Amino acid sequence: MAIHVLAVHRDTVGTEQAAGNSLAAAYSVGVVCWLLSAGVYIAAKWVSSEMPPWALCFWRVLIAWAILMPIVRRHFGDMVALVRARPLELLAIGGMGLAICQGMIFVGLEHADATTAGIIIALIPIITMILARLILAESMGGWQVIGSILAFLGIVVIILKGSPAALMRLDFNPGELWIVAGAFCFSVYTVLLRRAKFDVNRLALLVLLLGAAVLTALPFYLFELLSDERSTLNSSGLVALAYVAIPGGAVMYYLFNRSIEALGAARAGVLLYIQTIFIAVLAYLILGEQLQPYHLEGAALIVAGLLLIILLKPKAKAEAATAEESV
């Protein structure tokens, strides 16, 4: 879930770094990153009936943290200083974005299909924009408001499966509601991380946030060990865990940071939307899921909302985003 590092740091990209990399190669790194991220949804759904969600979440962040830690060893001094200065802030933000968020999504995938999850997750930038307006007082133009409403209606269509009668019956898929809650949690994390402006290397900060996620996920995992009868040591679970922790975890996080260095956060973040396509294709090929009419109707509304937000953003806001290269 590469979305969990979208706002890891306020981006400062040197032109000399971008000049040293082929633009095509940089975009390729970003595309591979989102492909690996899409595979996490497929793996989590594949073992959802066998492996508890918090076990998958805990071991994923722990293994990814252990793999990435040696890579940032030259930043250990800055990391220790930040932990000493702002421990609770790191714990709250990292726990929210990298543990609670993905734990909720894994819980949701026990009941919802991966295709639906991928479409819902595409809402994160829109939710983030709305929360940034409320919490950080960032500006929103009229077209952004209209786009947000359209995208919200798209999610409503998906949750109701295109049937307004489901609203009257309160007939909702609990898994889809869990995934919406996870998307909301990540958006809160993104806004809080923007406000925090931690002054440390981007990848080093990610490692600290993963460490906070390990501490946050641990009590949920321990409770799950006592209350869930499913085994976390079966072969399918181990295969899924190996994927979400290594290619879909540590490698994906690293590639996303590399794509930011080459492209800037704004352009690298826009590639998020191809994740939804990858999830739908992989879910069809591996899980046998089918796109339903309500998926297409909801996705059309979300895409329309995104286009209004991206293409018709206020001039001042667009200039500020370009200047800061922030998501």
Side-chain angles (χ1 to χ4, degrees), residues 51-67 98-99 102 106 210 213-215 217-218 221-222 224-225 231-233 237-238 240-246 249-250 253:
M51 188 171 188
W54 287 103
L56 193 61
C57 175
F58 172 75
W59 287 107
R60 181 187 190 224
V61 293
L62 177 61
I63 294 171
W65 173 83
I67 292 173
L98 302 180
Q102 64 180 293
F106 290 160
L210 282 170
V214 172
L215 295 176
L218 180 59
Y221 171 51
L222 294 177
E224 198 175 61
L225 285 177
S231 170
T232 61
L233 297 177
L238 291 174
L241 176 59
Y243 177 82
V244 302
I246 303 174
Y253 289 137

Side-chain angles (χ1 to χ4, degrees), residues 77 84 110 116 119 152 169 219 233:
R84 288 176 174 173
E110 293 186 304
T116 299
I119 296 173
F152 174 76
R169 300 192 305 267
L233 297 177

Side-chain angles (χ1 to χ4, degrees), residues 120-240:
I120 293 174
I121 291 302
L123 264 187
I124 284 177
I126 297 174
I127 301 173
T128 301
M129 181 185 65
I130 295 171
L131 292 176
R133 175 70 182 93
L134 297 175
I135 298 174
L136 303 180
E138 294 185 4
S139 62
M140 279 182 66
W143 287 115
Q144 281 64 54
V145 174
I146 295 172
S148 299
I149 293 173
L150 282 176
F152 174 76
L153 291 176
I155 289 302
V156 171
V157 168
I158 292 172
I159 290 177
L160 297 181
K161 294 180 171 53
S163 172
L167 181 61
M168 302 302 296
R169 300 192 305 267
L170 297 179
D171 184 16
F172 306 129
N173 183 325
E176 293 166 1
L177 298 180
W178 275 107
I179 294 167
V180 170
F184 180 81
C185 283
F186 180 76
S187 296
V188 173
Y189 154 81
T190 302
V191 173
L192 293 179
L193 197 50
R194 275 192 209 172
R195 187 174 67 176
K197 298 180 180 178
F198 294 118
D199 188 17
V200 70
N201 172 268
R202 184 187 302 109
L203 189 59
L205 177 58
L206 171 60
V207 171
L208 289 177
L209 295 174
L210 282 170
V214 172
L215 295 176
T216 303
L218 180 59
F220 292 95
Y221 171 51
L222 294 177
F223 176 78
E224 198 175 61
L225 285 177
L226 298 175
S227 60
D228 200 302
E229 296 179 355
R230 286 171 292 178
S231 170
T232 61
L233 297 177
N234 57 71
S235 57
S236 297
L238 291 174
V239 170

